[in-house]
């Protein structure tokens, strides 16, 4: 029986080791913020952090993350960087349909935790695996820059 560390809590699951993390989170733990998009790690809707690194939960077996730290969109409102990113997302009117936004936010938070003032190239690289069918890429970029500026000024909660 795998035990997952999700958003700071140990969670015992009675699931097969090869079950994708996405389905363990959504179906077993009721954490529906992480979305199913393509099922092939191409769209980024299922992005979560494992030990601080963004991964695609749709192709990651539960066995690969057992005993590691998993962070989902549900915990971003308690994360200082996550709070700032979510607020800039609102201020920049990033979301249209909103379906991809949890994955977009998770990738942006990871980027800002590793690069306080990301360049255009760093943003492109960090966000390249996240697809937005609505095409809000300019607003995503603006929100990331705004979040970086606010974090540099110490505006994190």
């Amino acid at each position: 029986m795998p035990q997952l560390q999700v958003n700071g809590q140990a969670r015992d699951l009675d699931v097969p080791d090869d079950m994708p993390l996405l389905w363990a989170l959504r179906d077993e733990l009721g954490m529906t913020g992480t979305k199913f998009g393509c099922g092939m790690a191409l769209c980024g809707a299922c992005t979560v952090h494992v030990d601080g690194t963004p991964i695609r939960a749709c192709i990651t077996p539960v066995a690969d993350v057992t005993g590691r730290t998993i962070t989902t969109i549900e915990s971003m409102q308690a994360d200082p960087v996550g709070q700032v990113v979510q607020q800039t997302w609102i201020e920049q009117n990033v979301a249209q349909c909103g379906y991809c936004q949890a994955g977009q936010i998770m990738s942006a938070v990871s980027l800002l935790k590793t690069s306080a003032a990301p360049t255009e190239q760093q943003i492109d690289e960090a966000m390249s695996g996240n697809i937005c069918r609505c095409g809000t890429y300019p607003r995503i970029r603006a929100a990331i820059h705004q979040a970086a500026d606010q974090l540099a000024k110490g505006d994190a909660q």
Side-chain angles (χ1 to χ4, degrees):
M1 180 180 305
Q3 184 180 72
L4 301 182
Q5 298 293 325
V6 181
N7 298 334
Q9 293 184 337
R11 306 294 297 265
D12 291 319
L13 297 175
D14 186 15
V15 300
D17 285 344
D18 63 348
M19 175 185 267
L21 176 59
L22 174 65
W23 300 123
L25 292 170
R26 291 182 60 81
D27 294 346
E28 300 298 319
L29 299 177
M31 303 178 87
T32 57
T34 304
K35 303 297 185 207
F36 173 79
C38 66
M40 299 182 301
L42 301 173
C43 72
C46 66
T47 303
V48 298
H49 298 168
V50 173
D51 296 333
T53 301
I55 60 105
R56 303 303 185 245
C58 70
I59 62 163
T60 303
V62 167
D64 288 0
V65 296
T66 300
R68 299 173 69 190
T69 302
I70 302 162
T71 308
T72 70
I73 190 68
E74 284 86 357
S75 72
M76 286 299 102
Q77 60 190 6
D79 180 287
V81 176
Q83 290 174 0
V84 171
V85 170
Q86 288 179 324
Q87 187 58 43
T88 62
W89 242 244
I90 293 167
E91 291 170 9
Q92 292 293 330
N93 295 309
V94 172
Q96 279 188 3
C97 82
Y99 197 82
C100 71
Q101 295 310 306
Q104 300 276 3
I105 288 169
M106 294 303 288
S107 291
V109 167
S110 179
L111 168 64
L112 291 169
K113 286 185 175 188
T114 59
S115 179
T119 65
E120 296 292 317
Q121 182 178 352
Q122 288 172 313
I123 293 172
D124 289 345
E125 289 171 6
M127 303 304 291
S128 67
N130 294 85
I131 296 172
C132 175
R133 291 183 59 122
C134 299
T136 64
Y137 300 112
R139 289 183 278 183
I140 289 168
R141 180 180 302 282
I144 292 170
H145 283 299
Q146 181 180 339
D149 291 345
Q150 287 180 6
L151 290 164
K153 294 176 187 172
D155 288 349
Q157 303 300 321

